[in-house]
Amino acid sequence: MYKKFILLVCIFNLTACAELQSVVDQLPQGGGVLSNADIAAGLRQALDQGIEQQVTKLTKPDGFYKNDLVKILLPEELQKVDKGLRDIGLGSLADEGLKVLNRAAEDAVGEATPIFVNAVKQISFNDAKTILLGQDDAATQYLTAKTQTELYNKFQPVINNSFTKVGADQIWSNLITKYNAIPFTSDVNPDLTDYVTGEALKGVYKMIAVEEKDIRTKLSSRGTDLLRRVFALQD
């Protein structure tokens, strides 16, 4: 607690990195002195761990579809399609439609890793000190701000191509045609590419946030000496 108090006081009252360095250097650490570079490297390592442990899972078959944290469902305005089909015994068709959405997201996430790696490399000490003492998802928020636009532009064409590759246009045409044939329903003609792209992005950042919170709150998730030493500063 004393270390954290001293670090907080210094961060909010010193503006020069050199001055902050001298204070950090005096903090007692069981594994030795932590430099600016150590702290920034620790944050990079934490994000790299989140990418390796969580994001790669999303690229595998059922990475989205069988993960309740990120599974992509129909947008709210189309929930009536899903319910309507299930009400008339077409639940398997509804499931097939949902699976297509999630498969497209799984395909797209493969584009994320190099973009994330580049963003992680750019973390400075000034970024790191803010992230370290921030909220449980502060590192994830940093990564979101640095990558969201680029990832969207990468994900969208992949998802569009994935829809074509797996016959999503035909599946959704069949699904919506059957739904529109149900008496007393309003016709629906959804374009889901933008929606699925946005949901895929949310899923990626959510899983990174899960890993970040574990590192911040569970000593067992700090798998390296550097992670243990750096995150001890925020305990």
Side-chain angles (χ1 to χ4, degrees):
M1 181 61 70
Y2 174 75
K3 291 185 295 180
K4 186 171 182 179
F5 173 76
I6 292 296
L7 189 59
L8 279 167
V9 171
C10 293
I11 286 173
F12 289 108
N13 289 281
L14 297 180
T15 57
C17 276
E19 291 174 293
L20 182 58
Q21 173 66 61
S22 66
V23 176
V24 172
D25 285 349
Q26 295 176 48
L27 292 175
Q29 295 295 316
V33 170
L34 281 173
S35 67
N36 292 353
D38 290 332
I39 293 173
L43 266 295
R44 294 189 196 104
Q45 194 171 100
L47 282 170
D48 284 339
Q49 181 170 311
I51 294 165
E52 180 180 354
Q53 296 292 325
Q54 300 294 345
V55 176
T56 55
K57 294 178 184 178
L58 299 178
T59 67
K60 299 176 181 178
D62 293 326
F64 273 84
Y65 188 65
K66 291 187 177 180
N67 183 339
D68 289 338
L69 288 176
V70 297
K71 181 177 181 179
I72 299 175
L73 304 176
L74 291 177
E76 185 176 353
E77 62 270 25
L78 294 180
Q79 290 294 326
K80 59 183 180 180
V81 176
D82 187 270
K83 184 177 185 303
L85 290 171
R86 295 181 192 280
D87 286 347
I88 61 171
L90 293 175
S92 60
L93 183 62
D95 288 339
E96 186 178 6
L98 289 179
K99 188 175 291 186
V100 166
L101 305 186
N102 287 271
R103 288 288 182 268
E106 291 156 13
D107 285 346
V109 172
E111 299 288 325
T113 299
I115 295 172
F116 282 147
V117 168
N118 185 56
V120 170
K121 287 179 180 177
Q122 296 175 32
I123 293 178
S124 68
F125 175 66
N126 285 334
D127 294 326
K129 68 183 183 183
T130 301
I131 293 169
L132 183 62
L133 298 178
Q135 298 177 350
D136 284 349
D137 65 344
T140 305
Q141 290 181 35
Y142 167 87
L143 205 57
T144 302
K146 293 292 185 180
T147 64
Q148 190 166 31
T149 298
E150 188 175 2
L151 279 186
Y152 182 94
N153 292 335
K154 285 284 189 180
F155 278 21
Q156 190 175 40
V158 175
I159 287 171
N160 187 58
N161 290 337
S162 181
F163 282 167
T164 301
K165 179 179 70 177
V166 300
D169 294 341
Q170 183 177 354
I171 291 171
W172 275 99
S173 176
N174 185 28
L175 187 154
I176 297 302
T177 297
K178 288 184 179 295
Y179 174 79
N180 288 342
I182 300 173
F184 310 113
T185 60
S186 301
D187 286 355
V188 176
N189 184 27
D191 178 4
L192 294 178
T193 299
D194 177 73
Y195 170 76
V196 172
T197 300
E199 293 300 297
L201 288 172
K202 290 178 186 177
V204 167
Y205 295 125
K206 181 176 289 187
M207 295 311 297
I208 293 175
V210 166
E211 189 68 22
E212 179 185 355
K213 185 174 182 180
D214 279 351
I215 291 172
R216 287 182 180 274
T217 59
K218 299 177 183 177
L219 293 177
S220 61
S221 293
R222 302 172 188 174
T224 70
D225 179 65
L226 181 60
L227 285 178
R228 287 189 288 271
R229 292 169 62 207
V230 168
F231 280 89
L233 294 173
Q234 57 101 68
D235 287 342

